[in-house]
Amino acid sequence: MMIKSREDYLRYLKEDMVARGESNQSLKAKIKKYLSPTPTWVFQKKLRKYEYFLNVKKGPISKIRLFFINRSFRKISQKLNYTIPPNVFGPGLCILHYGTIVVNSKSKIGKNCRIEVCVNIGASAGKPEAPIIGDNVYIGPGAKIYGNIILGNNIAIAANSSVNKSFEENNILIAGSPAKRIKEFDISTIIKHLKY
């Protein structure tokens, strides 16, 4: 799943906006955000624009624009302390806080991911494989997810958990180091915009 057209680009932006709660704000709040934009939302918009130009736009003019978009994207990534490559997250991404977030470029994360600070998603023991994470997943602060693993849909990962094995069951809470299944869980209690 990645941006392959202008329609995809606009859909990703819209779903990211909904996930962040940016779409249903008062006029006063929208004006305030326009005059003083939230850095995490600026990052997400730059990420999606970078993905769009990287995947869709071809030709010499687009390559020049991509160069400057990439520079701008890297600058805000460094400011917020994010190492998030393009084409990893599906639509509906929600990053609300700055702080260290490191994601391996081989990871694949579905739609409606809510990710907190100090999260690391990567490979393990020098192997190239990285986690594949389903849709509607909440990743708590300080969580470490690594290795050739698969996580299902509608999963909440508790703060400071270390996840190094697959949890393909849906609708669960996992926690601990190493992580274990704790209980069944309704993810819409955390990711509020989901409608079942």
Side-chain angles (χ1 to χ4, degrees), residues 2-191:
M2 64 184 202
I3 294 172
K4 295 180 181 174
S5 66
R6 180 164 176 76
E7 292 73 25
D8 285 347
Y9 170 58
L10 296 174
R11 180 174 57 86
Y12 272 58
L13 278 177
K14 182 178 179 184
E15 291 187 32
D16 288 358
M17 189 181 295
V18 169
R20 293 176 53 88
E22 303 274 345
S23 60
N24 54 0
Q25 295 179 337
S26 68
L27 179 60
K28 183 179 176 182
K30 287 179 181 176
I31 292 170
K32 184 179 175 185
K33 290 264 182 171
Y34 178 78
L35 296 173
S36 180
T38 308
T40 54
W41 179 225
V42 172
F43 169 83
Q44 284 191 226
K45 290 190 289 186
K46 286 184 186 290
L47 172 66
R48 297 314 189 186
K49 189 172 191 178
Y50 181 38
E51 291 172 337
Y52 173 61
F53 272 83
L54 187 66
N55 301 339
V56 177
K57 301 299 266 179
K58 305 298 178 195
I61 302 295
S62 293
K63 286 184 179 179
I64 292 167
R65 288 190 67 191
L66 178 62
F67 172 79
F68 289 104
I69 291 165
N70 184 21
R71 275 183 56 178
S72 176
F73 174 70
R74 281 188 290 135
K75 186 175 180 182
I76 194 162
S77 295
Q78 289 170 351
K79 178 181 176 184
L80 300 179
N81 209 14
Y82 297 162
T83 303
I84 298 176
N87 299 319
V88 169
F89 288 95
L93 174 63
C94 180
I95 307 171
L96 292 176
H97 307 287
Y98 3 130
T100 306
I101 298 176
V102 178
V103 180
N104 186 291
S105 63
K106 290 191 170 67
S107 299
K108 292 296 171 202
I109 301 162
K111 64 184 180 179
N112 299 315
C113 178
R114 185 178 181 106
I115 187 169
E116 300 287 352
V117 299
C118 299
V119 167
N120 190 316
I121 302 172
S124 178
K127 295 179 182 172
E129 297 86 9
I132 297 172
I133 300 173
D135 297 336
N136 313 324
V137 173
Y138 170 77
I139 304 172
K144 309 296 180 260
I145 306 166
Y146 56 94
N148 185 15
I149 63 171
I150 297 173
L151 301 181
N153 301 318
N154 309 316
I155 292 178
I157 301 167
N160 299 314
S161 296
S162 294
V163 185
N164 64 351
K165 67 178 184 178
S166 293
F167 290 88
E168 296 186 53
E169 183 181 355
N170 298 329
N171 305 302
I172 59 171
L173 168 67
I174 58 178
S177 185
K180 298 176 187 168
R181 180 193 186 280
I182 303 300
K183 63 179 181 178
E184 286 189 11
F185 190 77
D186 179 5
I187 197 67
S188 66
T189 60
I190 298 175
I191 305 177

